[in-house]
Amino acid sequence: MAAIASSSATTLPEGDTLKASTFQRLHPKAYFERFLAENLRPDGRDLDEWRAVSLNVGSISTADGSALVRLGDTTVVCGVKAEIAEPELDSPEDGFLVPNLDLPAICSPKFKPGPPTEEAQVLSDRLNDVLVAAGVVPLSSLCIERGRAVWVLYVDATCINYDGNAFDATLLAMVAALKNTRLPKATFDEETGRTTCSRKTRLPLQISRLPASMSFGIFDGTHIVVDPTSFEEPLLETTLSVAVDENGGLVSVTQLGLGIAGGQDVLMRCIASAKDRRKTLGDSIWTGSVAKT
Amino acid sequence: MAQSNFDRRRINGPDESFPPLFEADEEDPVHNLPRTRRGRSADDIRPIFLKAGLISQANGSAYIETERTKIACAVYGPRQSKTTVYSENGRLNVEVKFAPFSCTRRRAPIRDAEDRSVAVQIHQALWPSVRLELLPKSTLDIFITIIENDGIEGCIASGSVAASAALADAGIEMLGLVVSCAASTIGKEIWLDPTEEEARMASGSLILSGMPALGTITNVWQSGRLTPEETIQCMEACQGRCLDIHTVVAQALLDNAQVT
């Protein structure tokens, strides 16, 4: 097989590019190993380098709050729609927060049209855990009238382009969309039993925590790669996701796989790396179209 | 949405939830729409922003934005047909999905008849333009996601433009680019590229799709009450506008090809 040119200054002649991409398709693991031997990844990043994040909020007028996140090539659009419902009998002051992620056929050739795949279901469930368990929006703030009417926030995210690490991108999009949401002022009429909303006054949501997630993967029990792409993801036998809030507090840690990387304590290393990254991202990321590495 | 079926594959909210009701005494835009068009003239279309190649995973893609209509389209193909029946000509498969937050009232993620009817219209608009005879045993999958929706007419028109641009971006051989334009009759006037409010107020609407390069029409969809003379007038107005849209699309594809 053709040797991949290691000099970054010269561009490959067309014949070599074709051979490299064929090698990538036929032997993805060996292709990846060749890069890791040089401490690099196929897209040119270091093993611990994160992709640039860009965030754009409030562009969808039909949604009460919206956000578009681009994490490298992974693109996720999230919209928040608010509706009114009766609360549960055993929690009469709590509203509802319903997050869902959709991975449709448009975003990648590996998804077929139809009902949500296992991957989408698992990611939706994990997002639900992070958003609801972390208490990003205190459910009592969604109450309109105790026991009669509460807000239901449907937070729907759709992936438009899937290049790995959909979880991080979606969590970022959902929290940004919630931060961007403005609910109309609602008044409950005791006599008619109906809730009417004002067209003029809109109030922002109460956001108590701003979690962001960082994902890691372990390849071949030796290398820890950060922010995997869709090429790298199927080759990693362990994936770790750490969600950290704005004070450096841990919100959620999930690990799929054994987690062995040359005998080091992988979990603590990843948590430390995630906390650093959260601090670098800061809090200004949520408010606008800021691209940060 | 009043009725929500429990979908065991998604996170569900409460059994029943209703969209917010707004106070009746506040201004209701539908009935107060003025007789002369607000913001633009009767035959002005809204500016189109079209960018190709945004979806890296797909063979070809396009994103179109016209004020309040935002549509992303991806083309996967030609890929192997899953069926065992031999087909001499390729298959063109169009699937449309509305994002739940794209309409004023939240749409359930379940696909319903409206998705299918938009998909069928776009399929009819594109089918004559693609050289399917060069792709035996293959399928071209076109996936369209509607991110923001400003009326069905706008969706079908912008959707077919995006799909045609995505096919061109994918390098599929075509006879020409397909562009669409919508028109509505309000009273005696014909307004091009109506918004959702304008289309609701209109007595009839028409969407015309065609290939300006060949001077042919591929699809006409008319709804509402239109006399035959009005229909012909609408079609002529749309066809004229299609030439301008074609220039925009061709320029966007050229810019994209020059960058990459």
Side-chain angles (χ1 to χ4, degrees), chain A residues 7-8 10 15 21-22 38 47 110 119 150 164 190 194 216 229 247-249 263 266-267 276-278 286:
Chain A
S7 160
S8 54
T10 57
S21 62
T22 316
E38 312 263 344
L47 293 190
K110 54 183 189 170
E119 182 159 3
V150 290
E190 191 56 57
R194 283 167 59 188
F216 307 81
T229 63
N247 300 319
V266 171
L267 193 58
D276 280 335
R277 171 72 178 156
R278 180 72 185 85
W286 307 108

Side-chain angles (χ1 to χ4, degrees), chain A residues 195-235:
Chain A
T195 323
T196 37
C197 302
S198 156
R199 248 187 244 278
K200 295 193 195 99
T201 356
R202 281 202 169 234
L203 305 160
L205 278 182
Q206 204 180 66
I207 311 282
S208 59
R209 281 177 101 174
L210 296 170
S213 151
M214 321 318 144
S215 292
F216 307 81
I218 301 178
F219 177 74
D220 215 16
T222 44
H223 301 274
I224 303 177
V225 293
V226 138
D227 193 7
T229 63
S230 63
F231 168 71
E232 297 162 356
E233 263 182 3
L235 304 169

Side-chain angles (χ1 to χ4, degrees), chain B residues 173-189:
Chain B
E173 280 206 41
M174 299 195 285
L175 295 171
L177 278 175
V178 173
V179 288
S180 293
C181 189
S184 290
T185 46
I186 315 266
K188 290 263 175 272
E189 292 190 350

